[in-house]
Amino acid sequence: MRRCLAIVARDQFLDNNPQNKKIAVLVGTGGNGGGTLVYARRLNSWGTNVEVYTTANAEKFMPIPAYQYRILQRMKVPILSGRNCQKRGITNGIIGYSVNENPYGLPKAMIQWLNERTEKVHTPSGL
């Protein structure tokens, strides 16, 4: 599914030319975050300048997202704390279907930061 999301992003948000475009990918520690890491990997392989911003350290990720996290590390994709979000095109995979309470802490701060953006945000959390 995230491969398809990467195709949509390439076609609609990156003008069908992902080479050297800059995108920030915001991810949480669960399944939605793991899928979004796959999306980041795909865009990176197409030449997009991807930076990943996470809601927690690697050891907090669930097993499958942690596996995707390690792949991105081996690919040398920058993985940074969500406290360091920068202005660029944004894709968001902070929270997913299994959320059962309002976001708090760093995930909440990252969503608030997203809500203040004027550029396009692809798949926003909290809608």
Side-chain angles (χ1 to χ4, degrees):
M1 181 169 132
R2 294 302 174 164
R3 180 180 62 82
C4 294
L5 180 61
I7 292 168
V8 169
R10 179 194 65 202
D11 295 350
Q12 294 185 2
F13 293 98
L14 302 175
D15 301 322
N16 212 14
N17 180 13
Q19 290 287 321
N20 300 315
K21 301 275 175 71
K22 295 180 179 181
I23 189 165
V25 178
L26 281 56
V27 301
T29 60
N32 194 38
T36 305
L37 292 171
V38 171
Y39 163 91
R41 189 180 75 215
R42 178 68 57 158
L43 288 177
N44 179 269
S45 72
W46 291 337
T48 306
N49 180 357
V50 175
E51 287 183 348
V52 174
Y53 295 90
T54 66
T55 61
N57 295 329
E59 60 272 2
K60 302 274 186 178
F61 277 65
M62 294 173 63
I64 293 173
Y67 176 77
Q68 296 301 327
Y69 187 104
R70 290 189 300 273
I71 292 171
L72 286 176
Q73 284 180 313
R74 288 193 302 273
M75 293 173 67
K76 305 216 182 307
V77 172
I79 302 173
L80 308 160
S81 169
R83 291 179 179 84
N84 301 318
C85 291
Q86 308 259 331
K87 183 178 179 184
R88 42 176 65 198
I90 302 164
T91 296
N92 162 9
I94 298 171
I95 59 175
Y97 298 112
S98 63
V99 68
N100 55 15
E101 59 186 35
N102 290 331
Y104 59 91
L106 185 55
K108 179 180 178 180
M110 290 169 72
I111 291 169
Q112 288 171 332
W113 178 83
L114 283 171
N115 289 338
E116 297 168 1
R117 305 282 49 92
T118 57
E119 63 267 37
K120 290 181 182 178
V121 176
H122 194 213
T123 64
S125 292
L127 281 183

